[in-house]
Structures are given as structure tokens and as C-alpha cells.
Short mmCIF file of all heavy atoms in Angstrom, two decimals:
data_model
loop_
_atom_site.label_atom_id
_atom_site.label_comp_id
_atom_site.label_asym_id
_atom_site.label_seq_id
_atom_site.Cartn_x
_atom_site.Cartn_y
_atom_site.Cartn_z
N ALA I 1 -16.42 6.67 22.44
CA ALA I 1 -17.65 7.46 22.29
C ALA I 1 -17.85 8.03 23.67
O ALA I 1 -17.32 7.67 24.65
CB ALA I 1 -18.79 6.67 21.82
N GLY I 2 -18.78 9.00 23.60
CA GLY I 2 -19.13 9.79 24.90
C GLY I 2 -18.08 10.93 25.09
O GLY I 2 -18.14 11.45 26.15
N ARG I 3 -17.11 11.14 24.34
CA ARG I 3 -16.21 12.23 24.48
C ARG I 3 -15.86 12.91 23.11
O ARG I 3 -16.28 12.42 22.07
CB ARG I 3 -14.86 11.77 25.02
CG ARG I 3 -14.33 10.55 24.26
CD ARG I 3 -13.12 9.89 25.06
NE ARG I 3 -13.02 8.61 24.43
CZ ARG I 3 -12.15 7.79 24.86
NH1 ARG I 3 -11.27 8.00 25.79
NH2 ARG I 3 -12.00 6.52 24.29
N ALA I 4 -15.31 14.06 23.22
CA ALA I 4 -15.06 14.88 21.98
C ALA I 4 -16.30 15.05 21.14
O ALA I 4 -16.18 15.18 19.91
CB ALA I 4 -13.91 14.18 21.26
N GLY I 5 -17.35 15.26 21.75
CA GLY I 5 -18.63 15.47 21.02
C GLY I 5 -19.34 14.29 20.39
O GLY I 5 -20.38 14.43 19.64
N VAL I 6 -18.85 13.04 20.65
CA VAL I 6 -19.43 11.84 20.13
C VAL I 6 -20.20 11.19 21.24
O VAL I 6 -19.76 10.89 22.28
CB VAL I 6 -18.21 10.74 19.80
CG1 VAL I 6 -18.92 9.58 19.28
CG2 VAL I 6 -17.32 11.37 18.62
N LEU I 7 -21.58 11.21 20.92
CA LEU I 7 -22.57 10.68 21.82
C LEU I 7 -22.48 9.17 21.91
O LEU I 7 -22.15 8.43 20.87
CB LEU I 7 -23.87 11.17 21.44
CG LEU I 7 -24.13 12.70 21.39
CD1 LEU I 7 -25.57 12.95 20.81
CD2 LEU I 7 -23.95 13.19 22.76
N PRO I 8 -22.95 8.57 22.99
CA PRO I 8 -22.96 7.17 23.25
C PRO I 8 -23.78 6.46 22.11
O PRO I 8 -23.65 5.32 21.76
CB PRO I 8 -23.57 6.81 24.59
CG PRO I 8 -23.12 8.15 25.36
CD PRO I 8 -23.23 9.33 24.30
N SER I 9 -24.84 7.08 21.51
CA SER I 9 -25.68 6.58 20.50
C SER I 9 -25.01 6.53 19.02
O SER I 9 -25.65 6.06 18.23
CB SER I 9 -26.98 7.28 20.47
OG SER I 9 -26.76 8.67 20.03
N THR I 10 -23.87 7.17 18.99
CA THR I 10 -23.10 7.10 17.67
C THR I 10 -22.79 5.86 17.17
O THR I 10 -22.28 5.02 17.85
CB THR I 10 -21.86 8.11 17.70
OG1 THR I 10 -22.34 9.37 18.18
CG2 THR I 10 -21.19 8.28 16.48
N ARG I 11 -23.19 5.54 15.83
CA ARG I 11 -22.81 4.32 15.19
C ARG I 11 -21.74 4.45 14.08
O ARG I 11 -21.01 3.50 13.93
CB ARG I 11 -24.07 3.73 14.57
CG ARG I 11 -25.29 3.33 15.55
CD ARG I 11 -24.67 2.25 16.48
NE ARG I 11 -25.83 2.10 17.57
CZ ARG I 11 -25.52 2.28 18.90
NH1 ARG I 11 -24.35 2.65 19.21
NH2 ARG I 11 -26.53 2.12 19.72
N GLN I 12 -21.54 5.69 13.52
CA GLN I 12 -20.67 5.86 12.55
C GLN I 12 -20.13 7.32 12.72
O GLN I 12 -20.90 8.14 13.23
CB GLN I 12 -21.10 5.84 11.08
CG GLN I 12 -21.68 4.42 10.80
CD GLN I 12 -22.26 4.30 9.37
OE1 GLN I 12 -22.97 5.30 8.85
NE2 GLN I 12 -22.01 3.32 8.62
N VAL I 13 -18.83 7.55 12.22
CA VAL I 13 -18.36 8.91 12.22
C VAL I 13 -17.88 9.13 10.83
O VAL I 13 -17.35 8.36 10.08
CB VAL I 13 -17.15 9.04 13.26
CG1 VAL I 13 -17.75 9.07 14.64
CG2 VAL I 13 -16.12 8.09 13.05
N VAL I 14 -17.86 10.57 10.57
CA VAL I 14 -17.32 11.14 9.15
C VAL I 14 -16.13 11.88 9.76
O VAL I 14 -16.11 12.74 10.62
CB VAL I 14 -18.22 11.95 8.53
CG1 VAL I 14 -17.53 12.45 7.25
CG2 VAL I 14 -19.59 11.25 8.30
N LEU I 15 -14.85 11.40 9.12
CA LEU I 15 -13.64 12.13 9.65
C LEU I 15 -12.94 12.68 8.40
O LEU I 15 -13.07 12.16 7.32
CB LEU I 15 -12.70 10.94 10.14
CG LEU I 15 -13.08 10.20 11.35
CD1 LEU I 15 -12.15 9.13 11.74
CD2 LEU I 15 -13.43 11.07 12.58
N ASN I 16 -12.19 13.69 8.63
CA ASN I 16 -11.21 14.24 7.62
C ASN I 16 -9.89 13.85 8.19
O ASN I 16 -9.56 14.30 9.32
CB ASN I 16 -11.42 15.71 7.33
CG ASN I 16 -10.45 16.22 6.32
OD1 ASN I 16 -10.35 15.55 5.27
ND2 ASN I 16 -9.81 17.23 6.57
N LEU I 17 -9.15 13.03 7.45
CA LEU I 17 -7.84 12.60 7.93
C LEU I 17 -6.76 13.18 7.04
O LEU I 17 -6.80 13.13 5.73
CB LEU I 17 -7.75 11.04 7.84
CG LEU I 17 -6.41 10.38 7.99
CD1 LEU I 17 -6.08 10.40 9.38
CD2 LEU I 17 -6.37 8.97 7.48
N THR I 18 -5.74 13.81 7.66
CA THR I 18 -4.54 14.32 6.86
C THR I 18 -3.45 13.55 7.38
O THR I 18 -3.14 13.59 8.57
CB THR I 18 -4.44 15.96 7.12
OG1 THR I 18 -5.50 16.59 6.71
CG2 THR I 18 -3.15 16.47 6.35
N ALA I 19 -2.69 13.02 6.44
CA ALA I 19 -1.43 12.32 6.86
C ALA I 19 -0.24 13.07 6.30
O ALA I 19 -0.17 13.34 5.01
CB ALA I 19 -1.45 10.91 6.30
N ILE I 20 0.79 13.23 7.07
CA ILE I 20 2.09 13.87 6.63
C ILE I 20 3.11 12.81 6.56
O ILE I 20 3.50 12.25 7.66
CB ILE I 20 2.45 15.04 7.55
CG1 ILE I 20 1.31 16.05 7.42
CG2 ILE I 20 3.81 15.68 7.03
CD1 ILE I 20 0.76 16.55 8.79
N GLY I 21 3.59 12.42 5.44
CA GLY I 21 4.46 11.32 5.28
C GLY I 21 5.88 11.55 5.67
O GLY I 21 6.37 12.60 5.37
N THR I 22 6.46 10.60 6.32
CA THR I 22 8.01 10.60 6.53
C THR I 22 8.72 9.61 5.64
O THR I 22 9.91 9.56 5.62
CB THR I 22 8.24 10.35 8.07
OG1 THR I 22 7.68 9.04 8.36
CG2 THR I 22 7.66 11.35 8.93
N ALA I 23 7.86 8.70 5.04
CA ALA I 23 8.42 7.70 4.06
C ALA I 23 7.11 7.20 3.21
O ALA I 23 6.06 7.49 3.63
CB ALA I 23 8.96 6.49 4.92
N ASN I 24 7.36 6.38 2.26
CA ASN I 24 6.24 5.76 1.53
C ASN I 24 5.41 5.05 2.46
O ASN I 24 5.89 4.25 3.17
CB ASN I 24 6.81 4.96 0.45
CG ASN I 24 7.46 5.65 -0.67
OD1 ASN I 24 7.54 6.86 -0.74
ND2 ASN I 24 8.18 4.93 -1.42
N GLY I 25 4.11 5.27 2.46
CA GLY I 25 3.28 4.54 3.36
C GLY I 25 1.84 4.76 3.19
O GLY I 25 1.31 5.40 2.22
N TYR I 26 1.01 4.11 4.09
CA TYR I 26 -0.46 4.34 3.93
C TYR I 26 -1.02 4.30 5.42
O TYR I 26 -0.41 3.97 6.41
CB TYR I 26 -1.05 3.23 3.17
CG TYR I 26 -0.91 1.84 3.68
CD1 TYR I 26 -1.78 1.29 4.65
CD2 TYR I 26 0.10 1.06 3.41
CE1 TYR I 26 -1.65 0.03 5.33
CE2 TYR I 26 0.33 -0.26 3.95
CZ TYR I 26 -0.59 -0.71 4.89
OH TYR I 26 -0.35 -1.99 5.41
N VAL I 27 -2.35 4.83 5.39
CA VAL I 27 -3.11 4.79 6.65
C VAL I 27 -4.36 3.99 6.37
O VAL I 27 -4.99 4.25 5.25
CB VAL I 27 -3.42 6.21 7.17
CG1 VAL I 27 -4.29 6.23 8.41
CG2 VAL I 27 -2.14 7.04 7.19
N GLN I 28 -4.82 3.17 7.34
CA GLN I 28 -6.11 2.60 7.15
C GLN I 28 -6.96 3.06 8.38
O GLN I 28 -6.47 3.03 9.60
CB GLN I 28 -5.98 1.02 7.30
CG GLN I 28 -5.40 0.30 6.20
CD GLN I 28 -5.33 -1.20 6.46
OE1 GLN I 28 -5.24 -1.57 7.55
NE2 GLN I 28 -5.37 -1.91 5.30
N VAL I 29 -8.13 3.48 8.07
CA VAL I 29 -9.13 3.81 9.25
C VAL I 29 -10.21 2.94 9.08
O VAL I 29 -10.85 2.83 7.91
CB VAL I 29 -9.57 5.29 9.10
CG1 VAL I 29 -10.72 5.65 10.21
CG2 VAL I 29 -8.47 6.29 9.18
N ARG I 30 -10.44 2.14 10.10
CA ARG I 30 -11.40 0.97 9.99
C ARG I 30 -12.16 0.64 11.32
O ARG I 30 -11.74 1.08 12.29
CB ARG I 30 -10.75 -0.22 9.43
CG ARG I 30 -9.73 -0.71 10.40
CD ARG I 30 -8.98 -1.89 9.70
NE ARG I 30 -8.09 -2.47 10.69
CZ ARG I 30 -6.99 -3.12 10.34
NH1 ARG I 30 -6.63 -3.29 9.13
NH2 ARG I 30 -6.17 -3.68 11.26
N THR I 31 -13.18 -0.03 11.12
CA THR I 31 -13.93 -0.70 12.34
C THR I 31 -12.96 -1.57 12.95
O THR I 31 -12.38 -2.45 12.23
CB THR I 31 -15.10 -1.36 11.85
OG1 THR I 31 -16.01 -0.43 11.12
CG2 THR I 31 -16.06 -1.81 13.05
N CYS I 32 -12.68 -1.54 14.26
CA CYS I 32 -11.78 -2.43 14.99
C CYS I 32 -12.18 -3.98 14.73
O CYS I 32 -13.45 -4.18 14.82
CB CYS I 32 -11.67 -2.09 16.41
SG CYS I 32 -10.95 -0.50 16.81
N GLY I 33 -11.37 -4.79 14.35
CA GLY I 33 -11.71 -6.15 14.15
C GLY I 33 -12.17 -6.46 12.86
O GLY I 33 -12.47 -7.65 12.51
N SER I 34 -12.22 -5.39 11.86
CA SER I 34 -12.79 -5.71 10.60
C SER I 34 -11.84 -6.35 9.65
O SER I 34 -12.24 -6.99 8.63
CB SER I 34 -13.29 -4.33 9.92
OG SER I 34 -12.16 -3.61 9.60
N GLY I 35 -10.51 -6.23 9.87
CA GLY I 35 -9.43 -6.79 9.05
C GLY I 35 -9.55 -6.15 7.61
O GLY I 35 -9.09 -6.80 6.65
N SER I 36 -9.99 -4.84 7.50
CA SER I 36 -10.04 -4.28 6.07
C SER I 36 -8.61 -4.22 5.57
O SER I 36 -7.56 -4.20 6.20
CB SER I 36 -10.42 -2.82 6.30
OG SER I 36 -10.41 -2.00 5.27
N THR I 37 -8.48 -4.43 4.20
CA THR I 37 -7.36 -4.38 3.54
C THR I 37 -7.01 -3.19 2.61
O THR I 37 -5.98 -3.03 2.15
CB THR I 37 -7.15 -5.68 2.70
OG1 THR I 37 -8.17 -5.70 1.68
CG2 THR I 37 -7.12 -6.88 3.41
N GLY I 38 -8.01 -2.31 2.63
CA GLY I 38 -7.81 -1.09 1.71
C GLY I 38 -7.14 0.17 2.55
O GLY I 38 -7.18 0.13 3.76
N SER I 39 -6.56 0.99 1.82
CA SER I 39 -5.98 2.15 2.42
C SER I 39 -6.86 3.37 2.35
O SER I 39 -7.64 3.58 1.34
CB SER I 39 -4.55 2.47 1.82
OG SER I 39 -4.75 2.96 0.54
N THR I 40 -6.84 4.19 3.39
CA THR I 40 -7.62 5.42 3.35
C THR I 40 -6.80 6.62 2.85
O THR I 40 -7.37 7.43 2.03
CB THR I 40 -8.01 5.80 4.82
OG1 THR I 40 -8.71 4.69 5.49
CG2 THR I 40 -8.93 7.01 4.91
N VAL I 41 -5.57 6.62 3.03
CA VAL I 41 -4.64 7.61 2.49
C VAL I 41 -3.44 6.98 2.22
O VAL I 41 -2.79 6.13 2.87
CB VAL I 41 -4.40 8.67 3.60
CG1 VAL I 41 -3.31 9.60 3.08
CG2 VAL I 41 -5.74 9.51 3.88
N ASN I 42 -2.71 7.23 0.97
CA ASN I 42 -1.38 6.86 0.61
C ASN I 42 -0.55 8.13 0.66
O ASN I 42 -0.91 9.17 0.13
CB ASN I 42 -1.34 6.24 -0.64
CG ASN I 42 -2.23 4.89 -0.74
OD1 ASN I 42 -1.99 4.09 0.05
ND2 ASN I 42 -3.10 4.95 -1.71
N VAL I 43 0.62 8.01 1.15
CA VAL I 43 1.63 9.19 1.28
C VAL I 43 3.05 8.88 0.82
O VAL I 43 3.48 7.60 0.68
CB VAL I 43 1.68 9.73 2.70
CG1 VAL I 43 0.39 10.28 3.09
CG2 VAL I 43 2.09 8.74 3.69
N LEU I 44 3.68 9.94 0.44
CA LEU I 44 5.11 9.89 0.02
C LEU I 44 5.82 10.82 1.05
O LEU I 44 5.22 11.61 1.71
CB LEU I 44 5.24 10.36 -1.29
CG LEU I 44 4.65 9.47 -2.40
CD1 LEU I 44 4.78 10.14 -3.86
CD2 LEU I 44 5.37 8.08 -2.45
N PRO I 45 7.16 10.66 1.16
CA PRO I 45 7.90 11.53 2.08
C PRO I 45 7.68 12.89 1.85
O PRO I 45 7.69 13.41 0.71
CB PRO I 45 9.38 11.15 1.82
CG PRO I 45 9.31 9.79 1.24
CD PRO I 45 8.02 9.66 0.39
N GLY I 46 7.35 13.70 2.77
CA GLY I 46 7.18 15.15 2.71
C GLY I 46 5.85 15.61 2.21
O GLY I 46 5.53 16.85 2.24
N GLN I 47 4.97 14.75 1.78
CA GLN I 47 3.60 15.05 1.39
C GLN I 47 2.65 15.06 2.57
O GLN I 47 2.76 14.35 3.54
CB GLN I 47 3.11 13.97 0.42
CG GLN I 47 3.62 13.96 -0.94
CD GLN I 47 2.73 12.92 -1.88
OE1 GLN I 47 2.36 11.91 -1.26
NE2 GLN I 47 2.47 13.35 -2.98
N ALA I 48 1.65 16.00 2.43
CA ALA I 48 0.51 16.12 3.31
C ALA I 48 -0.72 15.84 2.48
O ALA I 48 -0.95 16.50 1.46
CB ALA I 48 0.36 17.49 3.92
N VAL I 49 -1.36 14.78 2.64
CA VAL I 49 -2.57 14.23 1.87
C VAL I 49 -3.63 14.03 2.78
O VAL I 49 -3.62 13.49 3.82
CB VAL I 49 -2.13 12.86 1.27
CG1 VAL I 49 -3.29 12.41 0.32
CG2 VAL I 49 -0.87 13.02 0.39
N ALA I 50 -4.83 14.57 2.28
CA ALA I 50 -6.03 14.47 3.05
C ALA I 50 -7.09 13.59 2.34
O ALA I 50 -7.02 13.61 1.20
CB ALA I 50 -6.62 15.93 3.37
N ASN I 51 -8.04 13.12 3.15
CA ASN I 51 -9.06 12.32 2.56
C ASN I 51 -10.26 12.29 3.59
O ASN I 51 -9.92 12.24 4.83
CB ASN I 51 -8.61 10.94 2.16
CG ASN I 51 -9.58 10.14 1.27
OD1 ASN I 51 -10.55 10.79 0.84
ND2 ASN I 51 -9.40 8.89 1.16
N SER I 52 -11.42 12.15 3.22
CA SER I 52 -12.62 11.90 4.06
C SER I 52 -12.94 10.54 4.04
O SER I 52 -12.69 9.73 3.08
CB SER I 52 -13.75 12.68 3.54
OG SER I 52 -13.56 14.10 3.64
N VAL I 53 -13.36 10.12 5.28
CA VAL I 53 -13.74 8.71 5.39
C VAL I 53 -15.00 8.61 6.42
O VAL I 53 -15.07 9.30 7.31
CB VAL I 53 -12.56 7.87 5.97
CG1 VAL I 53 -12.12 8.31 7.35
CG2 VAL I 53 -12.85 6.33 6.06
N VAL I 54 -15.87 7.58 6.01
CA VAL I 54 -17.09 7.36 6.96
C VAL I 54 -16.69 5.92 7.45
O VAL I 54 -16.54 4.96 6.70
CB VAL I 54 -18.33 7.27 6.09
CG1 VAL I 54 -19.52 6.90 7.09
CG2 VAL I 54 -18.61 8.55 5.47
N VAL I 55 -16.65 5.75 8.82
CA VAL I 55 -16.25 4.52 9.32
C VAL I 55 -17.27 4.21 10.53
O VAL I 55 -17.67 5.02 11.33
CB VAL I 55 -14.85 4.53 9.84
CG1 VAL I 55 -14.57 5.55 10.99
CG2 VAL I 55 -14.42 3.16 10.39
N ALA I 56 -17.72 2.94 10.43
CA ALA I 56 -18.53 2.45 11.61
C ALA I 56 -17.64 2.12 12.76
O ALA I 56 -16.59 1.68 12.79
CB ALA I 56 -19.21 1.16 11.11
N LEU I 57 -18.32 2.49 13.96
CA LEU I 57 -17.69 2.17 15.25
C LEU I 57 -18.04 0.74 15.65
O LEU I 57 -18.99 0.12 15.26
CB LEU I 57 -18.15 3.18 16.31
CG LEU I 57 -18.02 4.57 16.02
CD1 LEU I 57 -18.74 5.44 17.20
CD2 LEU I 57 -16.63 5.01 15.81
N ASP I 58 -17.05 0.10 16.40
CA ASP I 58 -17.35 -1.23 16.73
C ASP I 58 -18.26 -1.35 17.96
O ASP I 58 -18.79 -0.34 18.33
CB ASP I 58 -15.99 -2.01 17.10
CG ASP I 58 -15.28 -1.48 18.38
OD1 ASP I 58 -15.97 -0.69 19.06
OD2 ASP I 58 -14.14 -1.97 18.56
N THR I 59 -18.53 -2.49 18.49
CA THR I 59 -19.47 -2.58 19.60
C THR I 59 -19.10 -1.84 20.83
O THR I 59 -20.04 -1.66 21.63
CB THR I 59 -19.69 -4.10 19.91
OG1 THR I 59 -18.49 -4.75 20.15
CG2 THR I 59 -20.25 -4.86 18.72
N ARG I 60 -17.79 -1.44 20.92
CA ARG I 60 -17.38 -0.73 22.16
C ARG I 60 -17.25 0.76 21.67
O ARG I 60 -16.69 1.55 22.40
CB ARG I 60 -16.10 -1.29 22.65
CG ARG I 60 -16.23 -2.61 23.27
CD ARG I 60 -15.01 -3.26 23.76
NE ARG I 60 -14.23 -2.45 24.72
CZ ARG I 60 -13.06 -2.68 25.06
NH1 ARG I 60 -12.36 -3.56 24.60
NH2 ARG I 60 -12.43 -1.76 25.97
N GLN I 61 -17.76 1.02 20.53
CA GLN I 61 -17.80 2.39 19.90
C GLN I 61 -16.40 3.02 19.71
O GLN I 61 -16.15 4.14 19.97
CB GLN I 61 -18.61 3.31 20.92
CG GLN I 61 -20.10 3.06 20.84
CD GLN I 61 -20.97 4.01 21.54
OE1 GLN I 61 -20.66 4.28 22.75
NE2 GLN I 61 -21.94 4.46 20.80
N ARG I 62 -15.57 2.18 19.25
CA ARG I 62 -14.15 2.51 18.91
C ARG I 62 -14.01 2.33 17.35
O ARG I 62 -14.77 1.62 16.59
CB ARG I 62 -13.25 1.55 19.55
CG ARG I 62 -13.16 1.65 21.02
CD ARG I 62 -12.29 0.67 21.69
NE ARG I 62 -12.66 -0.72 21.11
CZ ARG I 62 -11.80 -1.73 21.22
NH1 ARG I 62 -10.69 -1.69 21.96
NH2 ARG I 62 -12.20 -2.99 20.78
N LEU I 63 -12.90 2.99 16.86
CA LEU I 63 -12.40 2.84 15.48
C LEU I 63 -10.98 2.55 15.57
O LEU I 63 -10.27 2.89 16.63
CB LEU I 63 -12.84 3.91 14.58
CG LEU I 63 -12.18 5.36 14.91
CD1 LEU I 63 -10.81 5.50 14.31
CD2 LEU I 63 -13.11 6.35 14.41
N CYS I 64 -10.34 1.89 14.67
CA CYS I 64 -8.87 1.72 14.65
C CYS I 64 -8.13 2.27 13.44
O CYS I 64 -8.81 2.34 12.32
CB CYS I 64 -8.68 0.16 14.59
SG CYS I 64 -9.08 -0.78 15.98
N ILE I 65 -7.14 2.93 13.87
CA ILE I 65 -6.25 3.58 12.83
C ILE I 65 -4.82 2.86 12.78
O ILE I 65 -4.25 2.59 13.76
CB ILE I 65 -6.00 4.94 13.17
CG1 ILE I 65 -7.29 5.76 13.23
CG2 ILE I 65 -5.03 5.67 12.19
CD1 ILE I 65 -7.31 7.14 13.77
N VAL I 66 -4.52 2.28 11.57
CA VAL I 66 -3.29 1.56 11.44
C VAL I 66 -2.39 2.35 10.29
O VAL I 66 -2.96 2.77 9.23
CB VAL I 66 -3.66 0.23 10.84
CG1 VAL I 66 -2.41 -0.62 10.58
CG2 VAL I 66 -4.61 -0.53 11.69
N THR I 67 -1.21 2.48 10.60
CA THR I 67 -0.24 3.12 9.80
C THR I 67 0.87 2.08 9.28
O THR I 67 1.20 1.36 10.21
CB THR I 67 0.42 4.41 10.26
OG1 THR I 67 1.19 3.97 11.44
CG2 THR I 67 -0.57 5.42 10.66
N SER I 68 1.29 2.16 8.16
CA SER I 68 2.27 1.30 7.62
C SER I 68 3.68 1.69 8.04
O SER I 68 4.70 0.91 8.24
CB SER I 68 2.26 0.99 6.13
OG SER I 68 2.63 2.19 5.47
N VAL I 69 3.96 3.13 8.27
CA VAL I 69 5.12 3.73 8.73
C VAL I 69 4.84 4.75 9.71
O VAL I 69 3.75 5.14 9.78
CB VAL I 69 5.95 4.09 7.54
CG1 VAL I 69 6.43 3.07 6.61
CG2 VAL I 69 5.25 5.20 6.74
N SER I 70 5.84 5.23 10.37
CA SER I 70 5.73 6.33 11.29
C SER I 70 5.32 7.60 10.40
O SER I 70 5.91 7.85 9.43
CB SER I 70 7.01 6.61 12.04
OG SER I 70 6.89 7.73 12.91
N MET I 71 4.31 8.37 10.87
CA MET I 71 3.92 9.66 10.28
C MET I 71 3.03 10.47 11.13
O MET I 71 2.65 9.92 12.21
CB MET I 71 3.02 9.26 8.96
CG MET I 71 1.70 8.52 9.14
SD MET I 71 0.85 8.19 7.69
CE MET I 71 1.81 6.87 6.98
N HIS I 72 2.77 11.70 10.81
CA HIS I 72 2.00 12.48 11.56
C HIS I 72 0.51 12.49 11.09
O HIS I 72 0.35 12.42 9.80
CB HIS I 72 2.55 13.97 11.48
CG HIS I 72 3.89 14.15 11.95
ND1 HIS I 72 4.06 14.31 13.43
CD2 HIS I 72 5.06 14.29 11.35
CE1 HIS I 72 5.43 14.35 13.46
NE2 HIS I 72 5.96 14.35 12.40
N LEU I 73 -0.51 12.54 11.98
CA LEU I 73 -1.82 12.46 11.51
C LEU I 73 -2.59 13.65 12.18
O LEU I 73 -2.38 13.92 13.27
CB LEU I 73 -2.51 11.22 11.96
CG LEU I 73 -1.93 9.84 11.40
CD1 LEU I 73 -2.52 8.64 11.90
CD2 LEU I 73 -2.02 9.77 9.82
N ILE I 74 -3.43 14.17 11.34
CA ILE I 74 -4.39 15.20 11.83
C ILE I 74 -5.70 14.64 11.49
O ILE I 74 -6.11 14.40 10.31
CB ILE I 74 -4.23 16.49 11.15
CG1 ILE I 74 -2.84 17.17 11.42
CG2 ILE I 74 -5.23 17.61 11.69
CD1 ILE I 74 -2.45 18.23 10.42
N ILE I 75 -6.61 14.54 12.62
CA ILE I 75 -7.92 13.94 12.39
C ILE I 75 -9.00 14.94 12.93
O ILE I 75 -9.01 15.22 13.97
CB ILE I 75 -8.00 12.51 13.14
CG1 ILE I 75 -6.88 11.53 12.62
CG2 ILE I 75 -9.38 11.96 12.92
CD1 ILE I 75 -6.77 10.42 13.49
N ASP I 76 -9.91 15.22 11.96
CA ASP I 76 -11.02 16.07 12.33
C ASP I 76 -12.24 15.24 12.23
O ASP I 76 -12.57 14.57 11.27
CB ASP I 76 -11.03 17.33 11.24
CG ASP I 76 -9.85 18.24 11.37
OD1 ASP I 76 -9.55 18.65 12.48
OD2 ASP I 76 -9.38 18.46 10.37
N LEU I 77 -13.07 15.36 13.38
CA LEU I 77 -14.41 14.87 13.38
C LEU I 77 -15.29 15.84 12.62
O LEU I 77 -15.48 16.89 13.05
CB LEU I 77 -14.90 14.66 14.83
CG LEU I 77 -16.30 14.06 14.95
CD1 LEU I 77 -16.45 12.65 14.43
CD2 LEU I 77 -16.74 14.12 16.44
N GLU I 78 -15.92 15.38 11.57
CA GLU I 78 -16.85 16.16 10.72
C GLU I 78 -18.29 16.00 11.08
O GLU I 78 -19.14 16.95 11.09
CB GLU I 78 -16.55 15.96 9.21
CG GLU I 78 -15.16 16.20 8.78
CD GLU I 78 -14.78 17.62 8.71
OE1 GLU I 78 -15.75 18.50 8.56
OE2 GLU I 78 -13.64 17.98 8.92
N ALA I 79 -18.75 14.70 11.28
CA ALA I 79 -20.09 14.47 11.64
C ALA I 79 -20.23 13.10 12.28
O ALA I 79 -19.29 12.28 12.27
CB ALA I 79 -20.80 14.41 10.29
N THR I 80 -21.39 12.89 12.91
CA THR I 80 -21.68 11.59 13.50
C THR I 80 -22.96 11.09 12.96
O THR I 80 -23.84 11.88 12.58
CB THR I 80 -21.81 11.70 15.10
OG1 THR I 80 -22.71 12.68 15.39
CG2 THR I 80 -20.40 12.18 15.68
N VAL I 81 -23.15 9.80 12.98
CA VAL I 81 -24.35 9.13 12.47
C VAL I 81 -24.92 8.25 13.62
O VAL I 81 -24.17 7.56 14.14
CB VAL I 81 -24.20 8.28 11.19
CG1 VAL I 81 -25.37 7.58 10.67
CG2 VAL I 81 -23.51 9.02 10.08
N HIS I 82 -26.26 8.42 13.92
CA HIS I 82 -26.79 7.67 15.09
C HIS I 82 -27.65 6.66 14.57
O HIS I 82 -28.26 6.75 13.53
CB HIS I 82 -27.51 8.75 15.93
CG HIS I 82 -26.65 9.73 16.51
ND1 HIS I 82 -26.02 9.68 17.59
CD2 HIS I 82 -26.38 10.94 15.96
CE1 HIS I 82 -25.23 10.74 17.84
NE2 HIS I 82 -25.44 11.56 16.90
#
């Protein structure tokens, strides 16, 4: 937080995530340390798939992005929640 237009008072962010698959896989966008098991986007080779997600920032104002395979990601910050 405190960069890219995210103020230190931000508690959640709204993102638009586009994943471009190189193999069958998924992306998880989650609060760091949450241990979430759901996927935000599922992809197949050569696909570009987009999805919106609202994610809470952790106590250090971070979020974690986990991919199951190597892929390209485009992440747009749509909004912040204070």
C-alpha cells in the first residue's frame, strides 16, 4: 500500500485479473496467510481469461497471488475500500 494509487488506509482492493495460460492451471488472489483453496481464474493453454476479485489486504497491506503453472498476468486496480 502507499503506492500505485493505494493509500495506507486501504483495507480491500477490487482488481481485474487477466491470465494468459501456457498450460492447464489456475490463479488464486487472496489475503496473504489466509490459506484460501478456491481459484480466482482457471485457464487452458493459449486462453486469455479475465475475472474481477475483491480481496482484503493483510495487516502489512499486502495481497498474495499464487499460480499453479507459469503464466502471464495482467492486473488492473479498479477500486480501493477504506
Side-chain angles (χ1 to χ4, degrees):
R3 56 187 156 182
V6 178
L7 299 174
S9 60
T10 300
R11 299 294 173 242
Q12 295 178 324
V13 291
V14 180
L15 304 174
N16 184 49
L17 171 75
T18 302
I20 299 127
T22 57
N24 293 347
Y26 64 87
V27 181
Q28 292 179 330
V29 180
R30 62 187 188 205
T31 305
C32 295
S34 70
S36 173
T37 58
S39 65
T40 305
V41 174
N42 297 307
V43 296
L44 297 172
Q47 280 189 325
V49 182
N51 196 12
S52 293
V53 61
V54 178
V55 61
L57 301 178
D58 71 5
T59 57
R60 293 176 58 194
Q61 294 184 309
R62 299 175 305 168
L63 60 87
C64 287
I65 299 172
V66 178
T67 62
S68 64
V69 296
S70 177
M71 65 181 73
H72 298 281
L73 299 175
I74 301 167
I75 303 169
D76 295 307
L77 175 65
E78 300 290 332
T80 59
V81 179
H82 302 271

